Short mmCIF file of all heavy atoms in Angstrom, two decimals:
data_model
loop_
_atom_site.label_atom_id
_atom_site.label_comp_id
_atom_site.label_asym_id
_atom_site.label_seq_id
_atom_site.Cartn_x
_atom_site.Cartn_y
_atom_site.Cartn_z
N HIS A 749 40.92 29.56 144.71
CA HIS A 749 39.72 29.41 145.49
C HIS A 749 38.99 28.12 145.25
O HIS A 749 38.53 27.44 146.20
CB HIS A 749 38.79 30.54 145.38
CG HIS A 749 38.36 30.87 144.08
ND1 HIS A 749 37.24 30.25 143.51
CD2 HIS A 749 38.78 31.64 143.06
CE1 HIS A 749 37.02 30.62 142.29
NE2 HIS A 749 38.02 31.53 141.97
N ALA A 750 38.95 27.69 143.91
CA ALA A 750 38.22 26.48 143.61
C ALA A 750 38.93 25.24 144.19
O ALA A 750 38.24 24.34 144.78
CB ALA A 750 38.15 26.38 142.12
N GLU A 751 40.18 25.18 144.17
CA GLU A 751 41.09 24.08 144.71
C GLU A 751 40.78 24.03 146.19
O GLU A 751 40.64 22.95 146.70
CB GLU A 751 42.52 24.32 144.34
CG GLU A 751 42.87 24.31 143.02
CD GLU A 751 43.01 22.89 142.30
OE1 GLU A 751 42.68 21.88 143.04
OE2 GLU A 751 43.44 22.83 141.23
N ARG A 752 40.85 25.19 146.87
CA ARG A 752 40.64 25.24 148.30
C ARG A 752 39.21 24.74 148.67
O ARG A 752 39.02 24.08 149.63
CB ARG A 752 40.81 26.69 148.86
CG ARG A 752 42.23 27.11 148.81
CD ARG A 752 42.23 28.66 149.12
NE ARG A 752 43.51 29.20 149.08
CZ ARG A 752 44.31 29.64 150.03
NH1 ARG A 752 43.84 29.61 151.29
NH2 ARG A 752 45.47 30.12 149.83
N ALA A 753 38.24 25.18 147.85
CA ALA A 753 36.85 24.66 148.15
C ALA A 753 36.69 23.20 147.99
O ALA A 753 36.11 22.53 148.88
CB ALA A 753 35.94 25.50 147.22
N VAL A 754 37.27 22.64 147.00
CA VAL A 754 37.24 21.16 146.75
C VAL A 754 37.90 20.43 147.89
O VAL A 754 37.49 19.46 148.44
CB VAL A 754 37.57 20.75 145.35
CG1 VAL A 754 37.73 19.24 145.26
CG2 VAL A 754 36.72 21.32 144.30
N ALA A 755 39.20 20.95 148.23
CA ALA A 755 39.94 20.24 149.29
C ALA A 755 39.15 20.37 150.61
O ALA A 755 39.09 19.33 151.34
CB ALA A 755 41.28 20.95 149.43
N ALA A 756 38.54 21.50 150.92
CA ALA A 756 37.75 21.59 152.12
C ALA A 756 36.52 20.62 152.11
O ALA A 756 36.14 20.03 153.04
CB ALA A 756 37.23 23.04 152.29
N ALA A 757 35.87 20.53 150.93
CA ALA A 757 34.71 19.66 150.75
C ALA A 757 35.17 18.19 151.05
O ALA A 757 34.41 17.46 151.80
CB ALA A 757 34.04 19.82 149.42
N LEU A 758 36.24 17.80 150.54
CA LEU A 758 36.72 16.42 150.68
C LEU A 758 37.08 16.16 152.14
O LEU A 758 36.81 15.08 152.73
CB LEU A 758 37.86 16.11 149.73
CG LEU A 758 37.49 16.14 148.23
CD1 LEU A 758 38.72 16.00 147.37
CD2 LEU A 758 36.53 15.06 147.97
N ALA A 759 37.65 17.14 152.80
CA ALA A 759 38.11 17.05 154.18
C ALA A 759 36.87 16.98 155.12
O ALA A 759 36.75 16.19 156.02
CB ALA A 759 39.02 18.11 154.61
N MET A 760 35.87 17.77 154.79
CA MET A 760 34.65 17.73 155.52
C MET A 760 33.87 16.44 155.32
O MET A 760 33.29 15.86 156.30
CB MET A 760 33.72 18.95 155.02
CG MET A 760 34.23 20.36 155.46
SD MET A 760 33.30 21.63 154.66
CE MET A 760 31.66 21.30 155.11
N ASP A 761 33.88 15.94 154.18
CA ASP A 761 33.19 14.60 153.94
C ASP A 761 33.93 13.48 154.69
O ASP A 761 33.32 12.65 155.32
CB ASP A 761 33.27 14.31 152.39
CG ASP A 761 32.60 12.95 152.15
OD1 ASP A 761 31.52 12.67 152.64
OD2 ASP A 761 33.20 12.19 151.42
N GLU A 762 35.23 13.55 154.60
CA GLU A 762 36.11 12.52 155.36
C GLU A 762 35.78 12.61 156.84
O GLU A 762 35.50 11.62 157.53
CB GLU A 762 37.54 12.69 155.10
CG GLU A 762 38.38 11.65 155.80
CD GLU A 762 39.89 11.83 155.54
OE1 GLU A 762 40.23 12.21 154.42
OE2 GLU A 762 40.65 11.65 156.43
N ALA A 763 35.70 13.82 157.44
CA ALA A 763 35.44 14.00 158.86
C ALA A 763 34.05 13.54 159.16
O ALA A 763 33.69 12.88 160.16
CB ALA A 763 35.58 15.46 159.31
N GLY A 764 33.07 13.86 158.29
CA GLY A 764 31.70 13.48 158.53
C GLY A 764 31.50 11.95 158.55
O GLY A 764 30.84 11.44 159.28
N GLN A 765 32.14 11.36 157.59
CA GLN A 765 32.10 9.83 157.51
C GLN A 765 32.76 9.20 158.77
O GLN A 765 32.17 8.25 159.39
CB GLN A 765 32.71 9.35 156.29
CG GLN A 765 31.86 9.69 155.02
CD GLN A 765 32.33 8.93 153.79
OE1 GLN A 765 32.61 7.80 153.79
NE2 GLN A 765 32.44 9.68 152.72
N ARG A 766 33.80 9.76 159.29
CA ARG A 766 34.49 9.30 160.51
C ARG A 766 33.51 9.44 161.64
O ARG A 766 33.36 8.52 162.50
CB ARG A 766 35.79 9.97 160.73
CG ARG A 766 37.01 9.38 160.03
CD ARG A 766 38.31 9.82 160.61
NE ARG A 766 38.34 11.17 160.99
CZ ARG A 766 38.74 12.23 160.20
NH1 ARG A 766 39.13 11.99 158.96
NH2 ARG A 766 38.76 13.39 160.66
N PHE A 767 32.89 10.63 161.72
CA PHE A 767 32.08 10.91 162.84
C PHE A 767 30.86 10.00 162.78
O PHE A 767 30.47 9.38 163.82
CB PHE A 767 31.55 12.35 162.67
CG PHE A 767 30.60 12.82 163.81
CD1 PHE A 767 30.97 13.11 165.00
CD2 PHE A 767 29.20 12.86 163.51
CE1 PHE A 767 30.06 13.48 166.08
CE2 PHE A 767 28.33 13.25 164.44
CZ PHE A 767 28.69 13.55 165.66
N SER A 768 30.23 9.71 161.65
CA SER A 768 29.09 8.84 161.53
C SER A 768 29.51 7.42 161.88
O SER A 768 28.76 6.68 162.58
CB SER A 768 28.53 8.89 160.17
OG SER A 768 27.98 10.11 159.84
N ALA A 769 30.65 6.99 161.45
CA ALA A 769 31.19 5.64 161.78
C ALA A 769 31.30 5.42 163.28
O ALA A 769 30.96 4.37 163.83
CB ALA A 769 32.44 5.26 161.03
N GLY A 770 31.87 6.49 163.92
CA GLY A 770 32.11 6.49 165.42
C GLY A 770 30.69 6.31 166.14
O GLY A 770 30.57 5.54 167.10
N LEU A 771 29.74 6.99 165.62
CA LEU A 771 28.43 6.93 166.29
C LEU A 771 27.80 5.49 166.02
O LEU A 771 27.18 4.89 166.95
CB LEU A 771 27.48 7.96 165.76
CG LEU A 771 27.80 9.44 166.24
CD1 LEU A 771 26.90 10.45 165.53
CD2 LEU A 771 27.76 9.51 167.76
N ARG A 772 27.94 5.03 164.73
CA ARG A 772 27.36 3.75 164.45
C ARG A 772 28.02 2.66 165.27
O ARG A 772 27.34 1.69 165.72
CB ARG A 772 27.56 3.41 162.98
CG ARG A 772 26.48 3.96 162.14
CD ARG A 772 26.45 3.33 160.69
NE ARG A 772 27.79 3.52 160.02
CZ ARG A 772 28.26 4.58 159.46
NH1 ARG A 772 27.43 5.59 159.32
NH2 ARG A 772 29.41 4.58 158.79
N ALA A 773 29.23 2.77 165.62
CA ALA A 773 29.97 1.90 166.47
C ALA A 773 29.33 1.72 167.87
O ALA A 773 29.51 0.78 168.55
CB ALA A 773 31.49 2.16 166.61
N HIS A 774 28.65 2.82 168.26
CA HIS A 774 27.97 2.93 169.54
C HIS A 774 26.52 2.68 169.41
O HIS A 774 25.73 3.01 170.37
CB HIS A 774 28.30 4.23 170.26
CG HIS A 774 29.67 4.34 170.63
ND1 HIS A 774 30.68 4.93 169.88
CD2 HIS A 774 30.32 3.95 171.82
CE1 HIS A 774 31.83 4.92 170.51
NE2 HIS A 774 31.56 4.31 171.76
N GLY A 775 26.00 2.19 168.20
CA GLY A 775 24.67 1.91 168.01
C GLY A 775 23.78 3.06 167.72
O GLY A 775 22.61 3.10 167.82
N ILE A 776 24.41 4.21 167.43
CA ILE A 776 23.69 5.49 167.10
C ILE A 776 23.57 5.76 165.57
O ILE A 776 24.72 5.89 164.90
CB ILE A 776 24.26 6.69 167.76
CG1 ILE A 776 24.26 6.43 169.32
CG2 ILE A 776 23.57 7.94 167.40
CD1 ILE A 776 25.15 7.46 170.06
N GLU A 777 22.47 5.74 164.93
CA GLU A 777 22.35 5.95 163.58
C GLU A 777 22.49 7.51 163.34
O GLU A 777 21.88 8.26 163.99
CB GLU A 777 21.12 5.41 162.98
CG GLU A 777 21.14 3.90 162.74
CD GLU A 777 22.34 3.51 161.84
OE1 GLU A 777 22.49 4.05 160.77
OE2 GLU A 777 23.03 2.50 162.23
N TRP A 778 23.19 7.89 162.25
CA TRP A 778 23.37 9.34 162.03
C TRP A 778 23.18 9.45 160.44
O TRP A 778 23.52 8.62 159.70
CB TRP A 778 24.79 9.72 162.42
CG TRP A 778 25.01 11.16 162.32
CD1 TRP A 778 25.67 11.88 161.37
CD2 TRP A 778 24.63 12.12 163.29
NE1 TRP A 778 25.71 13.24 161.63
CE2 TRP A 778 25.05 13.41 162.85
CE3 TRP A 778 23.95 12.07 164.54
CZ2 TRP A 778 24.85 14.59 163.55
CZ3 TRP A 778 23.80 13.28 165.25
CH2 TRP A 778 24.20 14.43 164.74
N GLY A 779 22.76 10.63 160.10
CA GLY A 779 22.52 10.93 158.69
C GLY A 779 23.85 11.08 157.88
O GLY A 779 24.88 10.77 158.41
N HIS A 780 23.69 11.60 156.66
CA HIS A 780 24.86 11.80 155.83
C HIS A 780 25.17 13.28 155.67
O HIS A 780 24.28 14.16 155.80
CB HIS A 780 24.57 11.34 154.38
CG HIS A 780 24.27 9.82 154.33
ND1 HIS A 780 25.22 8.92 154.45
CD2 HIS A 780 23.16 9.20 154.16
CE1 HIS A 780 24.74 7.63 154.44
NE2 HIS A 780 23.48 7.93 154.21
N THR A 781 26.49 13.58 155.62
CA THR A 781 26.88 14.91 155.30
C THR A 781 26.84 15.06 153.80
O THR A 781 27.48 14.25 153.11
CB THR A 781 28.32 15.19 155.91
OG1 THR A 781 28.21 15.05 157.29
CG2 THR A 781 28.76 16.61 155.53
N ARG A 782 26.19 16.02 153.25
CA ARG A 782 26.17 16.29 151.90
C ARG A 782 26.73 17.64 151.46
O ARG A 782 26.36 18.61 152.14
CB ARG A 782 24.75 16.19 151.31
CG ARG A 782 24.16 14.77 151.54
CD ARG A 782 22.80 14.70 150.88
NE ARG A 782 22.27 13.38 151.07
CZ ARG A 782 21.34 13.09 152.10
NH1 ARG A 782 20.81 14.05 152.76
NH2 ARG A 782 20.87 11.81 152.18
N ILE A 783 27.64 17.67 150.51
CA ILE A 783 28.38 18.94 150.31
C ILE A 783 28.25 19.25 148.73
O ILE A 783 28.42 18.29 147.91
CB ILE A 783 29.86 18.72 150.65
CG1 ILE A 783 29.94 18.38 152.12
CG2 ILE A 783 30.65 20.07 150.30
CD1 ILE A 783 31.29 17.89 152.51
N GLY A 784 27.93 20.49 148.45
CA GLY A 784 27.87 21.06 147.07
C GLY A 784 28.88 22.14 146.86
O GLY A 784 28.98 22.99 147.75
N VAL A 785 29.64 22.09 145.74
CA VAL A 785 30.67 23.05 145.55
C VAL A 785 30.30 23.83 144.23
O VAL A 785 30.24 23.04 143.16
CB VAL A 785 32.10 22.45 145.54
CG1 VAL A 785 33.07 23.65 145.38
CG2 VAL A 785 32.33 21.69 146.81
N HIS A 786 30.30 25.05 144.18
CA HIS A 786 29.97 25.77 143.01
C HIS A 786 30.83 27.07 143.01
O HIS A 786 31.09 27.62 144.08
CB HIS A 786 28.50 26.19 142.76
CG HIS A 786 28.12 26.90 141.61
ND1 HIS A 786 28.35 26.35 140.36
CD2 HIS A 786 27.66 28.13 141.46
CE1 HIS A 786 27.94 27.31 139.41
NE2 HIS A 786 27.52 28.35 140.08
N THR A 787 31.23 27.61 141.86
CA THR A 787 32.04 28.74 141.69
C THR A 787 31.36 29.84 140.94
O THR A 787 30.75 29.46 139.89
CB THR A 787 33.36 28.34 141.06
OG1 THR A 787 34.02 27.39 141.85
CG2 THR A 787 34.33 29.55 140.92
N GLY A 788 31.40 31.04 141.30
CA GLY A 788 30.90 32.18 140.58
C GLY A 788 30.91 33.47 141.36
O GLY A 788 31.49 33.51 142.45
N MET A 789 30.37 34.47 140.75
CA MET A 789 30.35 35.83 141.35
C MET A 789 29.23 35.83 142.46
O MET A 789 28.17 35.22 142.26
CB MET A 789 30.12 36.85 140.39
CG MET A 789 31.18 36.94 139.34
SD MET A 789 32.88 37.37 139.93
CE MET A 789 32.58 39.10 140.39
N ALA A 790 29.47 36.66 143.49
CA ALA A 790 28.52 36.82 144.55
C ALA A 790 28.63 38.21 145.15
O ALA A 790 29.76 38.71 145.09
CB ALA A 790 28.59 35.75 145.58
N LEU A 791 27.63 38.71 145.70
CA LEU A 791 27.68 39.94 146.50
C LEU A 791 28.18 39.53 147.93
O LEU A 791 27.42 38.82 148.55
CB LEU A 791 26.31 40.67 146.49
CG LEU A 791 26.16 41.88 147.36
CD1 LEU A 791 27.04 42.91 146.77
CD2 LEU A 791 24.74 42.38 147.40
#
């Protein structure tokens, strides 16, 4: 699960950066995607 979470975070970051770059190419400023990954027990 931890490996999957980090892989998903990296893929999400890459997609977010591509999306933002595409918008910037059209003169649209966009914020940043920020991702936090933590492991533990939950209900």
Side-chain angles (χ1 to χ4, degrees):
H749 60 86
E751 297 282 5
R752 290 172 184 247
V754 172
L758 295 172
M760 289 169 59
D761 180 49
E762 183 180 319
Q765 289 190 46
R766 276 195 322 268
F767 179 76
S768 293
L771 290 175
R772 275 193 306 279
H774 290 91
I776 302 169
E777 282 304 313
W778 190 260
H780 299 286
T781 300
R782 296 184 182 103
I783 303 162
V785 185
H786 180 61
T787 300
M789 299 297 291
L791 175 64

